Amino acid sequence: MWTAAVTELRVFFTAVMFLTRIPCPRWVGHDPAWLARSTAYFPLVGVVVGLVGGAALWAAARVWPPFVAAALSTAATVRVTGAFHEDALADSCDGFGGGWEPAQVLAIMKDSRIGSYGAVGLALVLLTKVGALAAIAAADAGTAARALVAAHTLGRWSSLPLIWGLPYVRQDEAGAKAKPFAAAVTGPRLAAGSALSAGVTAAALAPLGPAAVVAALALAAAVTALAARYFRRRIGGTTGDCLGAANQLVELATYLLLASAWLRR
């Protein structure tokens, strides 16, 4: 039992190392099999990132106006993740915006240089995220901090059904290296990650009432389903950049929901 617990802890830390820049203990080590198993812990990594952002927002709101606090909390989450998902969003905007055929879309996404579609898309998403968070923080900084936890958890959760339900379409060297990971989400791992995400979201948004919890979960599922449909239609499946873009869209949708007038009625 102790050995199994240590192994699971290593698997969790593997997810942390993959998705963030947070230092992990040296004894964790590296094992490709742990990366494959770590997908179920992606939402839990989202909890960690959300807590970092929430703490930054709550502290900054004691000193600065809501917009500044929201911007600083966003900067904190970008720093702790190394802009991992933001980079994927920019690549996806460039690829889907500038490409027509699947091969062309994939080639553009692979280019490390950012284009006009990527720059505009990333700027608009970041600006809207900060604006929505600022609107939530203007009413209550604690609610904005909880929104960060829920949004980052649901954003990381979106990768699980996309990996589970769509084929990984890259066939180059990078795709070959990622293929074991791309096929790693089994039914039980998807169920475990989904249950974890739902539980964290319910706990984070409980003060807003059950309607807010149900709406956040339903919206995350809807955005993920729409992203899956779009990715399948455009390129026949998914890539790492697609997963990161979906992550950002689910996170943004959660903030927009919680900042909406519907929840303040």
Side-chain angles (χ1 to χ4, degrees):
M1 182 178 294
W2 172 251
T3 302
V6 171
T7 299
E8 285 304 309
L9 188 59
R10 281 177 164 152
V11 171
F12 166 68
F13 277 127
T14 298
V16 173
M17 287 189 288
F18 181 70
L19 295 176
T20 76
R21 297 288 183 87
I22 298 174
C24 293
R26 291 182 179 273
W27 55 262
V28 173
H30 298 278
D31 190 324
W34 296 342
L35 180 58
R37 292 174 55 182
S38 72
T39 51
Y41 290 106
F42 281 9
L44 188 55
V45 177
V47 176
V48 174
V49 176
L51 286 172
V52 170
L57 188 146
W58 187 87
R62 311 269 78 76
V63 182
W64 292 289
F67 187 86
V68 176
L72 290 175
S73 72
T74 301
T77 60
V78 170
R79 176 66 183 88
V80 81
T81 61
F84 189 49
H85 299 298
E86 287 79 8
D87 179 66
L89 173 66
D91 287 341
S92 295
C93 288
D94 278 332
F96 290 114
W100 292 96
E101 298 298 326
Q104 187 182 19
V105 173
L106 293 172
I108 295 174
M109 282 198 289
K110 190 177 179 181
D111 191 336
S112 61
R113 295 169 296 181
I114 188 169
S116 56
Y117 287 106
V120 172
L122 180 59
L124 288 175
V125 168
L126 286 175
L127 181 61
T128 308
K129 282 202 294 186
V130 171
L133 270 173
I136 301 170
D140 180 53
T143 300
R146 289 190 290 272
L148 277 154
V149 174
H152 280 278
T153 301
L154 291 172
R156 269 76 183 174
W157 166 82
S158 69
S159 295
L160 274 64
L162 290 174
I163 296 172
W164 179 74
L166 296 177
Y168 192 81
V169 296
R170 283 206 180 277
Q171 302 299 324
D172 53 17
E173 182 180 355
K177 292 178 179 178
K179 202 160 188 177
F181 164 73
V185 177
T186 61
R189 286 176 188 157
L190 174 60
S194 298
L196 174 62
S197 298
V200 169
T201 301
L205 302 184
L208 299 179
V213 174
V214 173
L217 293 174
L219 183 60
V223 172
T224 302
L226 288 173
R229 181 179 179 182
Y230 181 78
F231 297 151
R232 185 182 292 277
R233 180 174 64 85
R234 290 295 310 275
I235 60 174
T238 189
T239 69
D241 286 330
C242 293
L243 299 179
N247 175 298
Q248 291 292 289
L249 294 176
V250 170
E251 182 188 341
L252 173 61
T254 304
Y255 298 143
L256 290 174
L257 170 70
L258 299 178
S260 67
W262 173 73
L263 285 182
R264 296 197 295 270
R265 290 177 183 174

